């Protein structure tokens, strides 16, 4: 068996570590590119949400490299992700491609389903599985912590590209190691390197919260490097959604003490009092949570036609009104162009900066009496 | 005077109105139904909804807008699920909140949650809970539940017998001479049975001498059985109905073709239609026409596609 998986931000670091850890032969699909997109779009339903299309592109590219199995997460409703695997499998079948999709999801009819799927992957001892999970988890967490820092500091870096270079190095080092102690050490080392990078102290920055559908938030190829673009416009990006926090909450049952979305779900209630699939409720809740803490603006991103995020988008004006924070909603699909996106980001950053200045002025005014 | 409750003539009106209607009347409310969808209502909805929302939800917004000053309260249930382990659509789960956020001037909203997805939960249990929440004595509530469930069953029996929701609910008539052909017309009820949204596709077909057989007239057991060939259990109630009916009707000799009508940008149907197309293509028995509609759909274009399809299946039938 040669196994592959779809890309989503740094997921490949996690997935490769985990699957190799349990002794499987892994084929990492080529990074998402125009080719991935056009392959995916060509064979997917026209109106499917974007992640389905690009994931399919990943599988097809991995297949060319010899993969015969793909591992993915699914679901049992209410959102489309729960039917991705079934549709993609049918598409592959009609293309005459021999590739099996193994979908990890909560059992539908029988509790043994998930266990059977894992057993199908490989017969290994529980100890080995746990070790692989442990290793993959630590790498993911370290990468996320570095990225979280980068999202803030990159807005003021004096030499453009210096932080990205460190992130790239860290990622390579993490890929190569298999020792927990070294992972921890790498994490500390790179964190302090990032923190001590030369900053442009003069630069005035604003703080923007980034929320939305997980795939478009985490995958730079589909959000057209949104975070970096914002950083270079002098925007510090705050992002509640990280792969590690998602894993902790959804796969590890929240046993680790890192900030999850429980509080946010509670805070969403006055605006959206129900789970709506995907991260719709979290989008609203995090907006409230961070607005209370003090931020200058909110950006929501989602694939075009994404149901949970359309619900969230529909109630966000209430949050804007109550907490007086401007919001911008971006929908992306295969036709979204970088130039158009950048124009919208620039305009929004200008608006946020203008409002921030005005608010400051008003404050000075009040206290000046 | 009796308290009035407004019910939008949209979305699940086509599936559940007899239930709501009898329930509220039994509890002593006067039920106010919004008027039939028209251009004005659609525009009211478009004005209030974000662009990306699908057409049926925009229409729902429009019906709510038309009820704002007409009723003491609005009944806008949160319809999570009407079937075990199944859902309708994520948008239905957030609907009352979407309305609240976009109609600041709204009257009292009864947004009770109906969630039959978990085992042991059912429509009637949620209904009973609602009645008690509204402050009615248990005896009255129990009677209202029983009466309204009976009304729903009676409605469903009529549909199973081949009657059309438009006829049963709104008294529409479709007498257009002799029917030469039968086609399956599959789609969400709020699309195909709303004469404005669907551009009255059922009447159009009738004028072409075609009888539209819809999912509601197919025996649920036959639907379920036909759906067993699906690669994975379909967890959207309406998607399951569409696929099950298509797979069942495609085996029937009297059905000449299948038409699927979906809203532009509909999440569930984007995948349901794909599966439908692939499954039918492999079986090569019945031609399929997929139509998507929204507020920009031109009627002339729809007519052309429909006529061409009917011509094609009529020729096929003869040869
Ligand atoms: S959350 Fe959005 S992107 Fe994900 S499956 Fe649902 S509709 Fe598609
Ligand atoms: S099922 Fe489709 S048409 Fe119905 S509300 Fe959901 S997205 Fe809209």
């Amino acid at each position: 068996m040669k196994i592959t998986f779809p890309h989503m931000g740094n997921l490949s670091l996690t997935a490769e570590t985990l699957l190799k850890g349990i002794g499987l032969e892994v084929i990492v699909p080529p990074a998402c590119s125009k080719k991935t997109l056009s392959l995916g779009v060509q064979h997917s339903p026209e109106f499917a949400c974007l992640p389905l299309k690009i994931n399919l592109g990943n599988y097809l590219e991995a297949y060319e490299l010899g993969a015969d199995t793909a591992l993915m997460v699914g679901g049992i409703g209410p959102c489309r992700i729960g039917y991705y695997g079934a549709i993609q499998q049918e598409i592959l079948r009609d293309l005459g491609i021999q590739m099996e999709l193994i979908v990890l999801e909560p059992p539908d009819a029988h509790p043994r389903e998930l266990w059977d799927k894992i057993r199908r992957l490989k017969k290994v001892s529980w100890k080995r599985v746990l070790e692989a999970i442990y290793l993959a988890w630590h790498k993911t967490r370290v990468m996320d912590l570095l990225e979280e820092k980068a999202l803030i500091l990159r807005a003021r870096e004096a030499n453009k590209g210096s932080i990205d270079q460190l992130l790239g190095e860290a990622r390579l080092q993490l890929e190569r190691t298999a020792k927990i102690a070294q992972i921890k050490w790498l994490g500390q080392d790179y964190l302090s390197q990032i923190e001590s990078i030369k900053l442009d102290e003069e630069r005035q920055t604003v703080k923007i919260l980034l929320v939305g559908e997980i795939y478009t938030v985490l995958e730079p190829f589909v959000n057209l490097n949104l975070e970096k673009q914002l950083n270079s416009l002098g925007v510090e990006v705050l992002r509640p959604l990280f792969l590690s926090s998602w894993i902790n909450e959804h796969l590890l049952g929240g046993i680790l003490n890192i900030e999850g979305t429980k509080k946010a779900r509670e805070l969403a209630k006055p605006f959206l009092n129900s789970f709506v699939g995907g991260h719709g409720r979290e989008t609203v809740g995090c907006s409230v949570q961070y607005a209370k803490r003090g931020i200058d603006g909110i950006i929501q991103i989602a694939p075009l036609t994404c149901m949970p995020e359309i619900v969230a988008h529909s109630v966000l004006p209430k949050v804007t009104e109550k907490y007086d924070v401007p919001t911008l909603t971006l929908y992306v699909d295969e036709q979204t162009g970088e130039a158009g996106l950048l124009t919208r980001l620039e305009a929004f950053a200008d608006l946020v900066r203008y409002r921030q200045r005005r608010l400051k002025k008003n404050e000075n005014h009040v206290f000046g009496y | 005077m009796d308290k009035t409750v407004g019910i939008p003539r949209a979305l699940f009106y086509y599936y559940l109105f007899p239930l709501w209607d009898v329930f509220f009347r039994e509890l002593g409310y006067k039920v106010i139904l919004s008027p039939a969808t028209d251009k004005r209502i659609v525009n009211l909805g478009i004005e209030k909804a974000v662009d990306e929302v699908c057409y049926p939800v925009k229409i729902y917004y429009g019906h709510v807008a038309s009820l704002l000053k007409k009723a003491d309260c609005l009944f806008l249930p949160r319809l999570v699920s009407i079937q075990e382990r199944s859902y309708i659509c994520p948008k239905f789960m957030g609907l009352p909140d979407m309305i609240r956020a976009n109609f600041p001037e709204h009257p009292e909203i009864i947004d009770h949650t109906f969630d039959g997805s978990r085992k042991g939960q059912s429509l009637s249990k949620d209904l009973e809970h609602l009645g008690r929440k509204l402050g009615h004595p248990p005896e009255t509530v129990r009677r209202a539940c029983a009466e309204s469930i009976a009304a729903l069953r009676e409605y469903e029996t009529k549909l199973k017998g081949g009657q059309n929701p438009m006829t049963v609910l709104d008294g529409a008539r479709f007498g257009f001479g002799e029917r030469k052909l039968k086609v399956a017309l599959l789609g969400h009820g709020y699309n195909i049975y709303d004469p404005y949204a669907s551009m009255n596709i059922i009447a159009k077909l009738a004028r072409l001498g075609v009888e539209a057989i819809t999912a509601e007239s197919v025996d649920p057991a036959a639907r379920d059985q036909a759906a067993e060939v699906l690669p994975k259990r379909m967890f959207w109630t309406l998607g399951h109905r569409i696929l099950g009916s298509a797979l069942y009707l495609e085996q029937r000799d009297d059905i000449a073709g299948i038409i699927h009508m979906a809203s532009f940008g509909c999440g569930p149907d984007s995948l349901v239609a794909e599966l439908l197309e692939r499954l039918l293509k492999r079986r090569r028995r019945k031609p399929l026409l997929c139509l998507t509609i929204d507020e920009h759909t031109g009627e002339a274009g729809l007519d052309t596609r429909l006529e061409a399809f009917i011509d094609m299946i009529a020729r096929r039938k003869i040869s």
Side-chain angles (χ1 to χ4, degrees), chain A residues 48-52 78-82 84 213-216 276-280 302-309, chain B residues 90 267 271:
Chain A
C49 35
L50 194 56
L52 183 148
C79 217
R80 277 185 272 190
I81 179 97
Y84 271 24
E213 184 278 327
I214 187 167
Y215 185 78
T216 38
V276 292
H279 285 81
L304 195 67
T305 75
C306 173
M307 301 178 277
E309 296 300 328
Chain B
L271 304 189

Side-chain angles (χ1 to χ4, degrees), chain B residues 35-249:
Chain B
T37 310
D38 59 12
K39 198 168 172 113
R40 191 188 64 96
I41 285 187
V42 170
N43 284 338
L44 282 171
I46 290 174
E47 204 182 293
K48 289 285 184 172
V50 298
D51 267 355
E52 288 74 13
V53 162
C54 56
Y55 191 34
V57 170
K58 284 183 182 142
I59 292 179
Y60 188 80
Y61 273 52
H63 282 274
V64 169
S66 80
L67 285 168
L68 285 180
K69 295 203 175 62
K70 305 245 170 65
D72 302 326
C73 60
L74 298 178
F75 179 56
L76 311 175
R78 196 188 296 280
L79 282 176
V80 174
S81 161
I82 54 163
Q83 209 182 355
E84 204 181 306
R85 295 188 296 149
S86 299
Y87 299 89
I88 299 166
C89 170
K91 284 180 200 164
F92 275 64
M93 301 163 95
L95 210 47
D97 300 300
M98 292 161 78
I99 297 293
R100 263 198 200 97
N102 292 286
F103 295 92
E105 71 282 28
H106 67 79
E108 180 196 339
I109 290 179
I110 302 174
D111 70 346
H112 196 65
T113 299
F114 290 82
D115 183 359
S117 65
R118 273 160 301 158
K119 225 186 163 85
Q121 201 46 268
S122 69
L123 210 56
S124 62
K125 272 193 193 166
D126 280 325
L127 207 57
E128 210 175 309
H129 186 203
L130 168 63
R132 270 185 275 127
K133 210 168 74 180
L134 292 172
H136 296 275
E139 212 26 63
T140 323
V141 172
R142 228 167 293 140
R143 201 190 53 234
C145 286
E147 295 283 327
S148 53
I149 297 277
L152 181 66
R153 296 288 168 257
E154 191 190 321
Y155 174 64
E156 287 172 346
T157 309
K158 283 184 187 160
L159 302 189
K160 249 179 257 165
Q163 289 195 59
N164 184 307
M166 296 151 86
T167 316
V168 183
L169 296 175
D170 305 326
R173 291 272 166 267
F174 301 93
F176 293 99
E178 196 200 340
R179 307 287 165 86
K180 299 184 288 278
L181 284 174
K182 276 186 192 166
V183 300
L185 173 63
L186 304 173
H188 298 180
Y190 43 83
N191 281 331
I192 57 176
Y193 301 132
D194 180 333
Y196 188 87
S198 70
M199 303 189 176
N200 220 344
I201 186 164
I202 295 181
K204 274 188 207 302
L205 286 169
R207 269 195 296 274
L208 295 169
V210 178
E211 184 181 354
I213 306 295
T214 61
E216 281 62 52
S217 70
V218 177
D219 175 32
R223 244 167 25 201
D224 290 351
Q225 201 197 353
E228 267 167 26
V229 305
L230 294 178
K232 177 181 182 174
R233 188 179 65 82
M234 171 50 70
F235 49 71
W236 290 305
T237 295
L238 300 182
H240 188 270
R241 266 191 209 192
I242 291 172
L243 287 165
S245 304
L247 293 168
Y248 166 74
L249 292 170

